[in-house]
Amino acid sequence: MARKGPRMNVLAVDGGSSTLKVAAYAMPDERKLAERTVSIADQGTSLASFLDELSAQGTRIDATGHRIVFGGRQHVRPERVTPLLLDRLEQLVPFDPLHLRAELDAVRFTHNQLPNIPHVVCFDTAFHQRMPSIAKRYPLGDEFAGVERFGYHGLSLEYIVSVLGASGRTIVAHLGSGASVSAIRDGAPVDTSMGLTPLGGIMMGTRPGDLDPGVLLYAASELGLSREALREALTYRSGLFGVSGGTSDMAALLAREAEDPRAREAIGLFVYIAAKHIGALAATLGGLDTLVFTAGIGENSAVIRERIGERLGFLEPFEVRVIPANEALAICRHVVTVVQSTDT
């Protein structure tokens, strides 16, 4: 079915934990014009080069859309960029400095490069705002007011739902540098592994996932780690990297698994924790119809998919699908909707 909306070329900027993915789409036909993946450290230079290449081939960008990892309670739908909005988003950086600082820098950069077109931000947490209240709640007292489970990878999940359709009990395993598993019923969010920040949930490339809170109290009181040292350790030196002793690259770990016990332990723990969370989320759905693997590890490692699947044999038969992540297209769809609504 043909999509409706104004004809425009949209630049989608998707800032992850380690890379920046940028793509241009002709909308509403959803035809990809160009794409590139670069290091976050080089994002300014690479964005400028990408825009120059598009201009050289005669492609005019009519609007941009940006992934913003955290929107909290206040930002639950895509919004057009204004100076006031950027000031408000700056206040959210402490929730996820790993992503948000680079993402906001990218918004400002493209706004400066292309000042006369609409710029739209799309929030990864927005998808999960429809979760049941019980799934958002932490078992904490009043002194923790405002602390709740927000969930992440929402734009990835939106795209998956658009492919699958809004029916059935689905768990999406978004397995990449950042990783999460999410439960969806009939296209609506039910629960997810990540919580207040993207540090929680399942084991990731360099992040640990869920921890006993006592671990952090012990690290601060007995090991003498400062808040900044804890942030560095939990963000950059845990997960696959920490357990293996030096790499978060799943392909590299699998290649040396046979002779390296630390690589073997890292892989085994990753599979164990992912399967455990999938099983728990199946309980929230009352069963499982479809398990979707997406993102770098989920899409590219048949070995990891098979090992996770073997641990889920206790569930009723369910379909397993691999659907390539496409946050960029989800972003572009939102841009068309926002531009159309604000220009009419």
Side-chain angles (χ1 to χ4, degrees), residues 47-223:
L47 274 170
S49 174
F50 190 72
L51 290 172
D52 288 343
E53 289 178 16
L54 291 173
S55 179
Q57 68 186 33
T59 300
R60 183 190 69 190
I61 296 299
D62 301 301
T64 75
H66 295 258
R67 175 193 181 215
I68 300 295
V69 71
F70 183 81
R73 292 180 180 176
Q74 296 77 25
H75 305 284
V76 298
R77 60 184 56 85
E79 299 178 47
R80 197 157 175 168
V81 172
T82 66
L84 178 60
L85 176 62
L86 289 178
D87 288 343
R88 289 175 175 168
L89 296 181
E90 283 288 341
Q91 299 172 21
L92 302 179
V93 169
F95 282 95
D96 184 15
L98 175 64
H99 293 86
L100 279 171
R101 171 52 52 217
E103 290 171 352
L104 292 177
D105 287 347
V107 174
R108 289 191 169 91
F109 182 86
T110 57
H111 194 280
N112 289 335
Q113 294 288 306
L114 303 166
N116 300 316
I117 65 172
H119 300 264
V120 176
V121 288
C122 306
F123 300 98
D124 238 358
T125 48
F127 178 84
H128 300 286
Q129 285 301 296
R130 293 180 293 145
M131 286 195 309
S133 59
I134 196 170
K136 297 180 184 179
R137 180 71 194 262
Y138 282 113
L140 297 169
D142 293 345
E143 61 267 47
F144 290 92
V147 174
E148 64 182 66
R149 302 181 67 250
F150 288 100
Y152 294 83
H153 293 141
L155 291 166
S156 174
L157 296 170
E158 284 182 22
Y159 177 75
I160 298 297
V161 169
S162 76
V163 174
L164 291 177
S167 64
R169 301 166 299 179
T170 301
I171 291 178
V172 178
H174 181 111
L175 307 181
S177 296
S180 68
V181 292
S182 300
I184 300 169
R185 180 187 289 111
D186 298 333
V190 173
D191 206 340
T192 189
S193 59
M194 283 183 173
L196 177 70
T197 77
L199 288 173
I202 69 172
M203 181 179 175
M204 300 173 234
T206 63
R207 288 171 265 168
D210 288 347
L211 293 172
D212 173 355
V215 172
L216 305 184
L217 295 175
Y218 176 81
S221 64
E222 303 302 320
L223 302 181

Side-chain angles (χ1 to χ4, degrees), residues 1-10 25-31 329 332-333 336 340:
M1 183 175 69
R3 289 185 173 268
K4 298 180 180 180
R7 303 198 69 82
M8 63 175 70
N9 295 332
V10 179
Y25 276 82
M27 302 295 286
D29 301 335
E30 302 188 347
R31 177 169 53 89
L329 187 51
C332 290
R333 290 170 178 170
V336 171
Q340 191 173 24

